[in-house]
Amino acid sequence: MLFVSAITLLSHITQQSDSLQEDIPELSPQNTCPSCHSHNVIKNGSIHNGKSKSQCKDCGRQFVDNPNNIVISLQIKQLIDKLLLERISLRGIARVTGVSWSWLQDYVNSILAHTSRQIKVSEKLTGHLTIECDEMWSFVDSKKNSLYVWLAIDRDSRIIIGCFIGNRTRKSARQLWASLPDISQQSAVAYTDFWQAYTTVIPVKRHRAVGKETGLTNRIERLNNTLRQRVSRLVRASLSFSKKLNNHIGAIWYFIHGYNAELDRI
């Protein structure tokens, strides 16, 4: 009888223990709140992909256990900003920095969309000015979709003072001239090649159409080469090219601002 009573008592104690355990909230495996670092954390269901979700009983923060999302530090973002000024494809930047391709594409799209399409005139541009103008071929998505980059630089400082991205017509030449600072439009002597669109835009007395053999457009020709070497979207016979017009234009303007900033620091 004593043996049976002991078994009955042990069974009763076990049942009560199981009942108490059901009432105790289950602790999260992570067991630490990312906000207040409290260990008073309980399970709180799951998210759409099945990952368990937890809640901190102290501050109320809800979070996912062992999240896949990685917080990109400010240092990594600053590194990416610099790498965008070099001849590196976006997939190359993703490999170097360790960020995901999808996050990088969204980040770059945001940067290019908010990049200014207007040049801030440098204080170095004073007095008598000599500028050089030229246009450079590029394309978006397909080589059938030609797009020309019209540029004007100050010969002495080599700073880019005008830019327009469009077709190769007189209208685009006018847009390039309109993008120049007022002092350049009013008094600068402009050297160009023999493309006829320039003759209808630049005042005759200040326009000098010359051939490459004269060396008088060497600086703007060298800038074209620099663009192709530094902006991967403009490299000839390359797998890196723009699929969207806004990104193509934004990438060129992003480089222009970076290029001028480098010259201002000299």
Side-chain angles (χ1 to χ4, degrees):
M1 291 293 293
L2 292 174
F3 180 72
V4 173
S5 298
I7 294 177
T8 303
L9 179 60
L10 180 62
S11 175
H12 181 68
I13 293 173
T14 303
Q15 290 177 357
Q16 287 183 336
S17 176
D18 292 341
S19 177
L20 289 173
Q21 287 181 355
E22 290 178 357
D23 296 334
I24 298 176
E26 183 181 359
L27 292 176
S28 168
Q30 187 168 327
N31 207 29
T32 303
C33 174
S35 294
C36 67
H37 306 291
S38 170
H39 295 283
N40 189 15
V41 176
I42 63 171
K43 290 288 187 181
N44 190 35
S46 60
I47 59 175
H48 66 282
N49 60 5
K51 274 189 168 292
S52 59
K53 186 171 63 173
S54 301
Q55 182 178 20
C56 177
K57 299 296 288 183
D58 290 337
C59 69
R61 166 75 183 272
Q62 298 187 48
F63 57 93
V64 177
D65 299 335
N66 301 317
N68 292 331
N69 294 336
I70 301 175
V71 178
I72 310 300
S73 66
L74 177 62
Q75 290 77 9
I76 292 295
K77 292 181 179 180
Q78 291 174 341
L79 176 60
I80 292 173
D81 294 344
K82 293 180 179 179
L83 292 176
L84 290 174
L85 296 173
E86 303 298 333
R87 183 180 170 179
I88 305 177
S89 65
L90 293 186
R91 292 196 180 275
I93 294 177
R95 289 191 294 268
V96 169
T97 58
V99 301
S100 69
W101 159 249
S102 58
W103 178 90
L104 178 62
Q105 185 66 73
D106 291 340
Y107 178 72
V108 172
N109 288 349
S110 176
I111 289 178
L112 300 185
H114 293 87
T115 298
S116 174
R117 268 60 168 175
Q118 186 175 4
I119 296 175
K120 183 179 179 180
V121 179
S122 172
E123 296 179 356
K124 294 181 180 181
L125 303 179
T126 58
H128 180 71
L129 298 177
T130 301
I131 64 175
E132 299 178 15
C133 306
D134 197 16
E135 68 285 346
M136 181 178 66
W137 175 84
S138 66
F139 71 94
V140 175
D141 191 45
S142 170
K143 291 185 177 181
K144 295 179 181 179
N145 300 325
S146 296
L147 204 66
Y148 283 84
V149 183
W150 296 73
L151 294 168
I153 66 171
D154 174 62
R155 176 179 288 180
D156 295 333
S157 65
R158 293 181 293 131
I159 290 177
I160 301 173
I161 60 174
C163 176
F164 181 74
I165 304 171
N167 53 27
R168 206 185 185 197
T169 63
R170 296 177 180 177
K171 183 178 180 180
S172 294
R174 293 191 186 95
Q175 293 290 341
L176 171 66
W177 190 254
S179 70
L180 300 178
D182 292 339
I183 188 173
S184 296
Q185 295 184 39
Q186 296 168 4
S187 60
V189 176
Y191 287 84
T192 72
D193 57 20
F194 291 101
W195 184 241
Q196 58 184 3
Y198 291 113
T199 61
T200 61
V201 175
I202 304 175
V204 177
K205 293 182 179 180
R206 291 188 283 117
H207 181 212
R208 308 289 187 270
V210 296
K212 293 182 179 180
E213 69 281 357
T214 64
L216 296 175
T217 56
N218 280 354
R219 288 175 176 80
I220 189 68
E221 294 288 349
R222 183 62 183 84
L223 174 61
N224 290 343
N225 184 51
T226 299
L227 270 170
R228 294 200 185 278
Q229 293 297 319
R230 297 276 300 275
V231 183
S232 59
R233 301 165 187 263
L234 301 177
V235 178
R236 295 182 183 272
S238 170
L239 293 178
S240 301
F241 61 91
S242 301
K243 293 184 178 181
K244 295 182 178 180
L245 176 61
N246 287 338
N247 285 354
H248 188 77
I249 295 175
I252 294 171
W253 276 104
Y254 185 82
F255 172 80
I256 289 174
H257 294 307
Y259 179 84
N260 281 351
E262 291 177 6
L263 291 178
D264 279 336
R265 287 194 292 266
I266 297 177

